[in-house]
Structures are given as C-alpha cells and as structure tokens.
C-alpha cells in the first residue's frame, strides 16, 4: 500500500514522503482493517510535525488519528457481517495510509455520510462531547469560554454547549472567523489578535465569573482562564498549541511551563475551582467503552441534525503538505481532510 510518512520535523514541504509500505494485517481478535477513502487532520498532527507531541511514534512514521473507508477484514472476535460496511474509525497513529487498523470500540458505521462530516466525528466531535458531556456536566445558563472557536473542536464545542443551553463566549483571530462562530451559536465573540480576551470578558461580566473554559492553547492563557472562572468553575485543558512552532527546544518548553506556573491542590480546594486535563489517546487506551459511547452518541446527534460539522478544506493526498500548512496557519475553519 501507499502511505504518507512523516520523515522530518519542521516545514511541511520537506516533512512528508509518500512511500510504498507493507499493508497492515489483522493481529488481534478485535482488529478491524479499513480500506481508507480519506483521513482527517488534527492540530496534534501539526504538533507531531514540529516534534512537540510526545505520544507520536519515532521518525519515520505514519501519523493520523482517524480514517473513513470500507471494512475489508476483521478479527475472529468481530461480527463478520461488518465486512463491506463504510465506517469512520479512530487510529492510534497510522491514519495517513491506504489501509489502517482500528478496534471495535473505535469505529462506527456511517453508511453514505459525506467523508468530511464522518471524519469530524472521530477526533473533534468526540473530544468536544467527552469534555462537555462527560468530563464535566454543563447546565443550562452556564457561562463558558471556548478558545479557537472556529477550529474543528471549537465548532463542535459551540454547537454542543448551545444544545445544553449555555451562554457562550468564544474567540477567534479574524472577522471571518468571528462571523462564523457567531453563526454556530456563540453569544459573545472576541478577536484575540486585537483584544485581550480576558479583559473583554471582565468587561462583559463585571460582577460574575465564568463556569467553564475550554482551552487547547495552555501556556500564558492558562492563568488568564483560571482568573476568569468563579467558585465551582473548571478550566479544561486539552492541548498546548502555544508551544507549536517555537524554535528553542527545551528552552521553549521550560518557558511554556513557566508561564503556566505551579498550583497547590489546597488552593483549588479553598477556591472551589477545578483543572481538568484531557488526552483522548489515554481515554481510548484506558476507557475504551467510554470512547465508544461518545462516538455512538455524537454520530446519532449528527444523523438527527442536532449538530452540523463544517468542512473547511479538502485536499488530495499529493497535497498533504499544503493541507498541513493550511491547518498550521490557523486560517482554517472547521475540519480539514485529505482524500486518497
């Protein structure tokens, strides 16, 4: 088969090569082999390309977290009637390939659903659903802050929090994106390039605090978020994109940590505030049934028309570097996918 290998860290134009490699085979009873039609990009892929995602396999490697395609073979523990079904499936890396392995708990049948919509389900909508419906239980009227609201996870969070009846504060980096997130359901929008989002929220809520923030950036934004939440408030951290693209290795990492500071647990108790960390790879590894539950419930919400993923870019595999550059530029809106 052909696969896109990450062969070098740094600039996308030099980072990838399409190579012939061995087709994966069924190794365990719960393995499912998918003939891949398309795969999705996620910001963790950009971090991996910059050598800043510690979970990523060593180079050269095939990265990628999700694929859509047809089941070609299954392990002995899997219903043989699934062969031939079109599914979206999680991959613990290995998604940038013509064939990929998933598990029974990591896939769901999507029939003729558009590829970009299906690929939005796996990493982005499942991550958002886990955070807003499992890691914390948002209530109607809760005031929530969503960073990077125009991204794939941001879009999902806005739509899912709106379903819960939350009041949504969201930021983005351009007028086009502000208009977009307003249409998705954000009640208050802030351009983080031209305004300090924390100062703007303090103006909007002079006597109140936020109930929850969803933060994929970390670094200098963490302390701001912690200051914005009130009693019972939660900061949910699910990424570290502020570190992405930095050039000074361990020095940049140490500075990133310094900006976040150190927190004593008793301080959380005294203030009745919470910090929740989310890494969906670990949820998949250690809570597979919970991952599958989120996958099924998100798929049903999409089929019922209650949430609506947005496809922000579709590329051919020959242009995978351009797809990466587009996502890494922070100019993308919604889901970016790559077709074979």
């Amino acid at each position: 088969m052909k696969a896109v290998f990450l062969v070098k860290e740094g600039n996308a134009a030099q980072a990838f090569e399409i190579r012939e490699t061995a087709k994966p085979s069924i190794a365990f009873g719960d393995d499912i082999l998918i003939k891949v039609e398309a795969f999705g990009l996620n910001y963790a892929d950009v971090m991996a390309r910059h050598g800043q995602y510690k979970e990523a396999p060593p180079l050269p490697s095939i990265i990628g977290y999700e694929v859509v395609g047809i089941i070609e073979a299954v392990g002995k523990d899997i219903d043989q009637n699934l062969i031939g079904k079109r599914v979206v499936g999680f991959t613990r890396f290995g998604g940038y390939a013509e064939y990929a392995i998933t598990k029974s708990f990591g896939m769901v049948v999507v029939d003729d659903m558009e590829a970009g919509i299906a690929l939005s389900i796996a990493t982005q909508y499942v991550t958002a659903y886990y955070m807003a419906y499992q890691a914390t239980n948002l209530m109607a009227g809760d005031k929530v802050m969503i960073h990077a609201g125009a991204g794939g996870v941001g879009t999902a969070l806005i739509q899912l929090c709106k379903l819960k009846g939350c009041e949504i504060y969201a930021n983005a980096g351009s007028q086009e994106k502000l208009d977009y997130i307003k249409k998705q359901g954000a009640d208050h929008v802030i351009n983080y390039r031209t305004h300090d989002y924390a100062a703007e929220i303090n103006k909007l809520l002079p006597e109140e605090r936020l109930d929850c923030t969803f933060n994929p950036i970390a670094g200098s934004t963490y302390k701001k978020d912690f200051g914005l939440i009130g009693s019972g408030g939660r900061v949910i951290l699910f990424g570290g994109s502020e570190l992405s693209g930095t050039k000074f290795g361990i020095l940049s990492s140490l500075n990133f940590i310094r900006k976040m500071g150190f927190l004593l647990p008793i301080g959380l108790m005294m203030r009745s505030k919470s910090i929740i960390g989310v890494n969906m790879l670990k949820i998949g590894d250690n809570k597979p049934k919970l991952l599958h539950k989120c996958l099924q419930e998100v798929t049903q919400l999409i089929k019922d028309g209650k949430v609506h993923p947005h496809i922000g870019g579709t590329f051919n595999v020959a242009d995978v570097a351009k797809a990466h550059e587009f996502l890494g530029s922070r100019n993308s809106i919604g889901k970016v996918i790559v077709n074979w």
Side-chain angles (χ1 to χ4, degrees):
M1 71 170 185
K2 292 180 181 178
V4 178
F5 278 81
L6 178 62
V7 297
K8 184 179 180 182
E9 294 174 358
N11 186 278
Q14 286 79 47
F16 297 103
E17 289 181 6
I18 298 175
R19 298 177 175 179
E20 292 283 343
T21 191
K23 177 179 169 182
S25 58
I26 299 295
F28 300 98
D30 61 346
D31 279 354
I32 294 173
L33 178 65
I34 300 173
K35 186 179 190 309
V36 177
E37 167 190 334
F39 56 88
L41 300 192
N42 296 283
Y43 206 80
D45 299 353
V46 177
M47 297 287 285
R49 173 165 57 82
H50 287 295
Q52 294 166 332
Y53 194 70
K54 70 174 186 177
E55 305 282 356
L59 303 183
S61 63
I62 305 169
I63 58 174
Y65 294 108
E66 72 229 344
V67 299
V68 64
I70 304 296
I71 293 179
E72 185 170 282
V74 299
K76 62 181 178 59
D77 300 332
I78 304 298
D79 182 358
Q80 298 292 310
N81 291 321
L82 282 173
I83 295 174
K85 298 287 187 182
R86 186 169 178 267
V87 300
V88 62
F90 281 104
T91 54
R92 205 186 192 294
F93 306 108
Y96 289 20
E98 288 185 309
Y99 289 87
I101 294 286
T102 189
K103 300 288 188 179
S104 57
F105 63 80
M107 69 87 195
V108 66
V109 176
V110 294
D111 297 320
D112 60 354
M113 186 183 289
E114 187 176 351
I117 301 297
L119 288 166
S120 298
I121 293 172
T123 303
Q124 293 173 333
Y125 272 77
V126 163
T127 298
Y129 187 89
Y130 171 78
M131 292 191 292
Y133 286 61
Q134 298 290 329
T136 189
N137 185 23
L138 296 173
M139 309 293 287
D142 278 356
K143 295 174 172 59
V144 303
M145 168 68 195
I146 298 169
H147 289 269
V153 178
T155 296
L157 280 168
I158 291 173
Q159 294 176 3
L160 290 166
C161 290
K162 184 57 67 173
L163 276 181
K164 286 221 166 195
C166 297
E167 183 177 348
I168 299 170
Y169 300 74
N171 66 18
S174 70
Q175 189 58 50
E176 178 190 9
K177 288 186 175 183
L178 295 180
D179 293 341
Y180 168 80
I181 60 179
K182 194 78 173 176
K183 289 179 181 177
Q184 301 308 309
D187 299 289
H188 311 277
V189 299
I190 301 164
N191 187 330
Y192 65 79
R193 295 187 189 277
T194 59
H195 295 80
D196 182 318
Y197 75 88
E200 293 302 305
I201 289 176
N202 281 325
K203 289 178 187 177
L204 292 165
L205 295 172
E207 305 295 332
E208 298 180 81
R209 301 282 84 190
L210 295 173
D211 296 291
C212 188
T213 74
F214 294 95
N215 189 321
I217 302 164
S220 61
T221 65
Y222 161 71
K223 286 185 179 179
K224 288 184 178 182
D225 281 21
F226 191 76
L228 289 170
I229 61 171
S231 297
R234 295 82 81 197
V235 175
I236 301 183
L237 293 169
F238 64 102
S241 65
E242 186 171 282
L243 188 60
S244 178
T246 53
K247 299 178 180 179
F248 301 106
I250 188 64
L251 294 178
S252 294
S253 297
L254 290 172
N255 190 45
F256 177 79
I257 294 168
R258 179 191 63 80
K259 289 177 181 178
M260 296 185 72
F262 297 92
L263 189 66
L264 291 173
I266 195 167
L268 295 176
M269 181 185 73
M270 295 300 293
R271 299 184 188 187
S272 194
K273 295 184 178 184
S274 301
I275 312 299
I276 301 173
V278 173
N279 180 336
M280 294 308 292
L281 280 182
K282 297 302 183 184
I283 298 300
D285 287 345
N286 302 309
K287 297 282 187 180
K289 290 182 179 178
L290 177 55
L291 181 72
H292 194 229
K293 175 179 180 285
C294 294
L295 186 56
Q296 289 177 310
E297 291 180 358
V298 164
T299 303
Q300 194 59 51
L301 286 173
I302 291 173
K303 288 181 176 179
D304 290 344
K306 293 182 178 179
V307 293
H308 307 275
H310 177 81
I311 306 167
T314 302
F315 294 80
N316 184 271
V317 70
D319 295 319
V320 67
K322 292 180 181 178
H324 253 255
E325 288 170 354
F326 180 53
L327 182 61
S329 72
R330 304 182 191 269
N331 291 323
S332 63
I333 294 175
K335 187 66 181 176
V336 177
I337 75 164
V338 177
N339 289 311
W340 280 101

